Amino acid sequence: MFTLALNSPLPDQARGFRLSAAFVAGAVIPVGDTPQGIALTPDGARAYVANRDSNTLSVIDTATDTDTIPTNAGPTFVAITPDGTRAYVTFSGAALVSVIDTTTNSVITDIVVSDPTTVAAITPDGTRVYVTVGFSTVSVIDTATNTVTESITVGDAPTGVVITPDGTRAYVANQVPGTVSVIDTATNTLTDTISVGSFPILLAVTPDGTRVYVTVVGDSALSVIDTATNTVTASIGVSAQPRVPAVSPDGSHVYVPNAEPDTVSVIDTATNTVVENIGVGDGPTDIVFFPDGTHAYVTNTLAGTVGVLATTVIPDHGSTGGGTPVTVTGHNLANATAVHFGTAQAVITADTATSITVTAPAGSGAVPVTVTTAGGTGTLGTFYYTPPPALTGISPAAGPVAGSDQEIVITGRNLAGTINVFLGATRAVIQTVSDTRITVRAAGAPAPGGVAVTVITPGGTTDGLSYTYLDPSTVTGVSPNTGPATDGTEVTITGTGLADTDQVTFNGTPATFAVISDTTLTATTPPNGTDGTVNVTITGPGGTPSGTFTYVTGPDV
């Protein structure tokens, strides 16, 4: 579960270092320990990274090198003023917000608040900072005086906060009640509360302010809020442990780091569908776009790095048969006369000065994507043709109709970059992915029964395996229900859904057993050592129902 490590241990002192920064797509830049939040100056010249367990900020000059600023305990997230002159830093280990002068990269002041801080958001005019604090409040900081002017009560465990582009509202994700609070920034009063799902944590708002996206960890989903009505209009399934979402500068895609499978889900905002899962570093948490939208920076929290993600060709993987809709982002693209994937020409479906939408032609391997205009031909990125997937096995092949946290392993070929897995009509939550193996968690199904396993990858869609949703198994009787405390009593266990039983235990001790039918088992009691009534527990894909058995000591002299 994502807690933002409010009480995590910290090193004894901050560390400073200097690094070379090769800011090209695919580069990985070492920073401090446990980097979480990242923010760019408005001109894109510098990135500030909060290294929680180094007690430092890494300051990355995107053209030259990287320096660090020692800070207080546990820096977590960073917000930069619209004029780029100051950065406001929150802390999991200190009840304050630090203000950084970005000209000198030094701490101007520390603003004391009531509890440890999590996320900060700055109004578009730069006059106020809204900070989630402690267990139920948002503090408002006046940037002219760097003092707290108000404290607003929201839901329990507030984490993320964003402010609409017009500056009129702040949206706050409250973990425990599963809500988003809406604050009127003119009056600093709570005007609405929106239920969004189980354990919402972080948010992003579109450039036009019409939608807010909320990562909902308990549902492994992204909830979409219509800001005109303050209602949830969609829930988009992503992978396990989604973190800080980010909207591309043109509003066409939302990027969601998924900390468990180490991927970034790319969502088409027009269709609310995941079009690509991009593999990144270990434990991705935050993502921020370069102002022109051509690349993004991702904090890989467990790896201690920042990754550079190319966003000029999205998706950049697709079927060898062609037909993948692709958005190409760049500069001076208006009136393009041709787009080629290698030597094959793509079909242009839309064209502006900064983006082109095309349909990928058939092909194979990794090929350059080039755009031709009256000004010449330029290479915008690379497209990777992916062979179609194939499935070879699934284990376990059955589970409770209510869903389960048990890991299901699907094996096969060409599975890297898997976009979605479905068990029948129910989306399974992706936990890990490699080219030959996917692990998922099964959500609940509408009814018991066998369903097809469908895997969607950039190379295509495949099925051929099945998974069975089972009614909960039950135990209705244990006979005889008493016996000696030594061992050896043969008992008959009756119930329902017992055919796939994996284990029978008496007071936690495994017993030898045999499946007679879906309603009957036989088992031999293991020794217990003392008198008393114990649980007889059946473990299988239908759950862990139990009955009772009483051990009795025999007569003695």
Side-chain angles (χ1 to χ4, degrees), residues 351-417:
D351 183 12
T352 71
T354 57
S355 71
I356 304 173
T357 303
V358 301
T359 302
S364 63
V367 298
V369 177
T370 59
V371 176
T372 301
T373 69
T377 298
T379 300
L380 274 291
T382 303
F383 187 82
Y384 302 87
Y385 284 100
T386 304
L391 303 182
T392 57
I394 182 170
S395 178
V401 70
S404 171
D405 286 335
Q406 182 180 21
E407 183 180 88
I408 300 170
V409 179
I410 300 170
T411 54
R413 300 184 304 276
N414 305 321
L415 304 180

Side-chain angles (χ1 to χ4, degrees), residues 414-437:
N414 305 321
L415 304 180
T418 293
I419 296 168
N420 264 314
V421 176
F422 287 90
L423 305 178
T426 303
R427 187 183 68 88
V429 177
I430 297 172
Q431 309 289 306
T432 64
V433 176
S434 72
D435 198 50
T436 58
R437 170 185 165 115

Side-chain angles (χ1 to χ4, degrees), residues 42-108:
D43 60 3
R46 279 162 293 162
Y48 287 75
V49 183
N51 304 307
R52 191 190 68 204
D53 288 348
S54 291
N55 299 344
T56 60
L57 288 183
S58 291
V59 186
I60 302 171
D61 185 317
T62 58
T64 56
D65 292 328
T66 299
D67 289 318
T68 61
I69 307 170
T71 68
N72 292 284
T76 51
F77 288 92
V78 186
I80 296 177
T81 55
D83 63 6
T85 60
R86 281 169 292 167
Y88 287 77
V89 184
T90 58
F91 296 90
S92 64
L96 53 82
V97 175
S98 287
V99 186
I100 309 293
D101 183 329
T102 59
T103 302
T104 61
N105 283 335
S106 59
V107 178
I108 300 171

Side-chain angles (χ1 to χ4, degrees), residues 124-553:
D125 61 6
T127 60
R128 286 167 293 167
V129 184
Y130 287 73
V131 185
T132 50
V133 176
F135 300 103
S136 61
T137 60
V138 170
S139 291
V140 183
I141 295 171
D142 184 325
T143 59
T145 60
N146 282 328
T147 57
V148 176
T149 58
E150 292 190 65
S151 182
I152 307 164
T153 300
V154 288
D156 293 338
T159 306
V161 56
V162 294
I163 297 173
T164 54
D166 62 6
T168 61
R169 284 170 290 174
Y171 287 76
V172 181
N174 308 303
Q175 295 178 25
V176 177
T179 62
V180 169
S181 296
V182 185
I183 298 170
D184 183 329
T185 58
T187 60
N188 283 331
T189 56
L190 192 66
T191 60
D192 214 339
T193 300
I194 309 163
S195 294
V196 294
S198 173
F199 207 73
I201 53 171
L202 297 156
L203 315 94
V205 61
T206 54
D208 62 5
T210 60
R211 282 160 291 167
V212 167
Y213 294 89
V214 189
T215 48
V216 183
V217 173
D219 300 331
S220 297
L222 190 72
S223 287
V224 185
I225 296 173
D226 182 329
T227 58
T229 60
N230 282 336
T231 57
V232 174
T233 57
S235 178
I236 306 165
V238 290
S239 298
Q241 297 295 315
R243 295 296 188 255
V244 187
V247 184
S248 61
D250 64 1
S252 63
H253 294 92
V254 183
Y255 287 63
V256 183
N258 303 302
E260 192 149 314
D262 301 331
T263 61
V264 172
S265 291
V266 184
I267 296 165
D268 185 323
T269 58
T271 61
N272 284 336
T273 57
V274 176
V275 297
E276 184 168 21
N277 279 328
I278 304 171
V280 290
D282 196 1
T285 296
D286 199 0
I287 184 169
V288 62
F289 278 91
F290 199 72
D292 66 2
T294 59
H295 53 288
Y297 307 121
V298 183
T299 57
N300 301 310
T301 297
L302 300 181
T305 62
V306 170
V308 184
L309 190 67
T311 57
T312 52
V313 178
I314 295 296
D316 65 357
H317 286 68
S319 168
T320 55
T324 303
V326 176
T327 300
V328 181
T329 302
H331 304 286
N332 306 314
L333 304 181
N335 302 312
T337 56
V339 176
H340 284 87
F341 285 50
T343 58
Q345 187 163 336
V347 176
I348 298 173
T349 57
D351 183 12
T352 71
T354 57
S355 71
I356 304 173
T357 303
V358 301
T359 302
S364 63
V367 298
V369 177
T370 59
V371 176
T372 301
T373 69
T377 298
T379 300
L380 274 291
T382 303
F383 187 82
Y384 302 87
Y385 284 100
T386 304
L391 303 182
T392 57
I394 182 170
S395 178
V401 70
S404 171
D405 286 335
Q406 182 180 21
E407 183 180 88
I408 300 170
V409 179
I410 300 170
T411 54
R413 300 184 304 276
N414 305 321
L415 304 180
T418 293
I419 296 168
N420 264 314
V421 176
F422 287 90
L423 305 178
T426 303
R427 187 183 68 88
V429 177
I430 297 172
Q431 309 289 306
T432 64
V433 176
S434 72
D435 198 50
T436 58
R437 170 185 165 115
I438 311 167
T439 62
V440 299
R441 188 179 72 245
V451 296
V453 177
T454 303
V455 174
I456 302 170
T457 77
T461 300
T462 188
D463 50 25
L465 299 176
S466 63
Y467 182 84
T468 302
Y469 279 104
L470 302 173
D471 276 324
S473 52
T474 65
V475 170
T476 57
V478 177
S479 180
N481 62 1
T482 61
T486 53
D487 61 8
T489 303
E490 297 288 338
V491 301
T492 298
I493 303 167
T494 55
T496 60
L498 305 181
D500 295 309
T501 295
D502 298 319
Q503 188 180 61
V504 177
T505 60
F506 286 68
N507 198 29
T509 301
T512 57
F513 72 95
V515 175
I516 307 303
S517 69
D518 196 52
T519 59
T520 306
L521 303 173
T522 60
T524 302
T525 61
N528 193 55
T530 60
D531 292 352
T533 300
V534 301
N535 284 332
V536 181
T537 302
I538 308 301
T539 302
T544 55
S546 61
T548 60
F549 181 86
T550 301
Y551 283 98
V552 179
T553 301

